[in-house]
Amino acid sequence: MTAAGAGATSAEGEEPLGGPVRPSGLLDVLGVASVVLDAQGRIVLWSPQAEELFGYSAQEALGQLAARLMVHEEHLELVIKLFADVLRTGRGWAGAFPIRHKDGGTRLVEFRNMRLLDDRGDVYALGLAADQSTVRRLERDVALSARIVSQSPIGLAVLDTRLRYVSVNPALERIDGVPAEAHLGRTIPEVLPQVDAATLEAAALQVLKSGRPLVDVFAVGRTPADPEEDHAWSVSLYRLEDAVGAVLGVAVSIVDITEQYRAGIEAEAARRRLALIADASSRIGTTLDLDRTARELADVAVPELADVAAVDLLEAVVGGRRSSLGPAEAAVIRALAVRADHASDALEAADPPGQIARYGPERLVTQCVRTGRPVLVKHVKDEDLASIARS
């Protein structure tokens, strides 16, 4: 995975000012050779990389006519003309050319040639050269990496050594609901404040320092792509290094696992419901004593289902009589049990055990008893209190 390329948007990494920085490994991989020729085409400078590329030592090359040393006779006239044009016009020349290696073999070399002037006005030619097969391999690697990054359905990002985004692929733009440009140069908490960013940053820092990848780090939260619903992601991280081992940053892959996450929550809720039913079956109705059964029911409900639970019965039922309420009838209720997980103001809304209260037809408890159906108030407002609380 590369920090830049087609289909991924990148920010330039900032380097500290006022001192040297570690070199990129790309030039080492390319093995770029430098050769300087005088106006007659004789070699006056010969880099160590040139020794490796062409096979001739500096002692063998310096002072020699470059065309005769490095070019087959069939290409000699063309090379001399190209050299003369560069020196005469000052326009550089770039392209691939077959050169002769010291071992007698031929290889294609990518050249960049340009004219140089010294302080006396003397003319020289600078040639930068690299093995074409190496250049093509790197081009293919970059092109392939760019395609993988841009077309991957998995969210991909690169963070620099300060854990700021330097590259984001289109899939991550869609996952986050944030354009790539809005990621670049910013940290995870700055881009996604409603995600568990502290966990992700801690994981990225661990990978950056240790070099050991982390796979399947769990994160949950909300993004601008879907600000009303929680999503879950599986995040994997590994350290990026260049060819000479310099640390570039951290690569991050993100897979949306919201469906599995929700299925897991539902499965856990079902498991807890079954456990609650099993618990209730074993605890409720252990005796025929009504008060004790009411307490057992309240104990099962708290804290698994509620913070506070009250068990009340129609006074007629407590007395062993059948009862039904008409639309305009009040309900006479006896409180049997109250259970709370912790001290709560809601306790004051419940009748204390043993108390008998009369609730008018507009009260919610009366509606519940009369219809035999649950009554749910999702968000209690001040105006609702008069129909809920005893006082």
Side-chain angles (χ1 to χ4, degrees):
M1 180 175 177
T2 57
T9 306
S10 305
E12 295 296 329
E14 295 179 7
E15 299 291 356
L17 301 176
V21 297
R22 294 194 64 174
S24 163
L26 183 59
L27 293 180
D28 294 310
V29 174
L30 286 171
V32 177
S34 302
V35 179
V36 177
L37 312 180
D38 63 15
Q40 288 72 45
R42 296 184 183 278
I43 299 168
V44 295
L45 291 174
W46 187 257
S47 73
Q49 291 80 7
E51 293 187 27
E52 185 175 344
L53 181 61
F54 302 112
Y56 298 98
S57 66
Q59 186 176 4
E60 294 172 308
L62 292 174
Q64 300 294 319
L65 289 170
R68 296 195 179 279
L69 181 71
M70 300 159 51
V71 180
H72 284 280
E73 289 76 6
E74 59 183 296
H75 303 303
L76 196 57
E77 288 187 18
L78 176 58
V79 169
I80 291 173
K81 180 180 182 305
L82 291 172
F83 173 73
D85 288 344
V86 170
L87 292 186
R88 187 184 76 257
T89 66
R91 292 194 298 269
W93 177 84
F97 208 87
I99 63 95
R100 181 170 54 194
H101 194 272
K102 181 181 177 180
D103 62 12
T106 301
R107 64 179 63 178
L108 275 175
V109 172
E110 288 271 346
F111 281 98
R112 297 293 184 274
N113 298 313
M114 62 207 75
R115 187 176 70 179
L116 301 178
L117 293 174
D118 67 11
D119 58 352
R120 296 192 298 266
D122 293 333
V123 178
Y124 295 87
L126 169 65
L128 301 176
D131 180 72
Q132 191 190 53
S133 63
T134 302
V135 174
R136 292 290 180 267
R137 176 173 57 80
L138 286 177
E139 288 176 341
R140 286 193 300 270
D141 289 347
V142 170
L144 180 61
S145 296
R147 290 278 182 168
I148 291 173
V149 169
S150 64
Q151 296 179 10
S152 172
I154 296 172
L156 300 172
V158 174
L159 308 177
D160 65 14
T161 53
R162 299 181 190 178
L163 303 185
R164 300 169 303 179
Y165 288 98
V166 294
S167 180
V168 173
N169 77 334
L172 190 58
E173 289 184 273
R174 294 189 294 271
I175 289 171
D176 291 350
V178 178
E181 293 77 10
H183 286 79
L184 304 183
R186 302 170 70 195
T187 63
I188 297 174
E190 290 170 341
V191 176
L192 302 170
Q194 290 188 287
V195 171
D196 187 10
T199 297
L200 295 179
E201 279 209 319
L205 185 61
Q206 178 183 337
V207 169
L208 190 66
K209 289 181 176 180
S210 70
R212 292 189 296 272
L214 288 177
V215 178
D216 202 21
V217 177
F218 180 76
V220 67
R222 299 183 181 187
T223 72
D226 188 6
E228 302 301 323
E229 296 287 343
D230 281 339
H231 280 249
W233 301 275
S234 171
V235 182
S236 297
L237 310 96
Y238 59 94
R239 192 167 74 183
L240 283 178
E241 301 175 2
D242 66 13
V244 295
V247 176
L248 303 176
V250 177
V252 186
S253 66
I254 300 99
V255 178
D256 193 311
I257 57 169
T258 302
E259 293 303 318
Q260 300 95 302
Y261 170 67
R262 290 173 179 167
I265 291 177
E266 292 175 2
E268 175 61 18
R271 186 197 66 77
R272 292 179 64 182
R273 284 195 296 271
L274 289 173
L276 184 61
I277 290 170
D279 184 43
S281 300
S282 64
R283 293 172 59 182
I284 298 174
T286 57
T287 71
L288 296 178
D289 182 83
L290 195 58
D291 290 325
R292 180 170 178 177
T293 299
R295 289 195 299 272
E296 290 169 346
L297 179 58
D299 287 342
V300 168
V302 177
E304 289 298 328
L305 296 179
D307 296 318
V308 180
V311 180
D312 303 332
L313 287 182
L314 287 169
E315 175 63 11
V317 174
V318 176
R321 304 186 303 275
R322 296 178 62 84
S323 178
S324 61
L325 297 179
E329 285 187 79
V332 180
I333 299 288
R334 179 190 290 270
L336 296 184
V338 177
R339 171 82 160 84
D341 187 41
H342 54 271
S344 169
D345 291 340
L347 279 172
E348 297 191 23
D351 293 325
Q355 179 169 315
I356 299 175
R358 182 183 180 87
Y359 289 93
E362 76 285 353
R363 292 296 192 97
L364 296 187
V365 63
T366 307
Q367 295 176 32
C368 180
V369 171
R370 184 175 63 245
T371 63
R373 299 178 62 83
V375 176
L376 172 66
V377 181
K378 289 187 176 181
H379 301 286
V380 178
K381 304 181 181 64
D382 288 344
E383 56 266 29
D384 296 322
L385 293 175
S387 64
I388 298 172
R390 62 183 172 87
S391 167

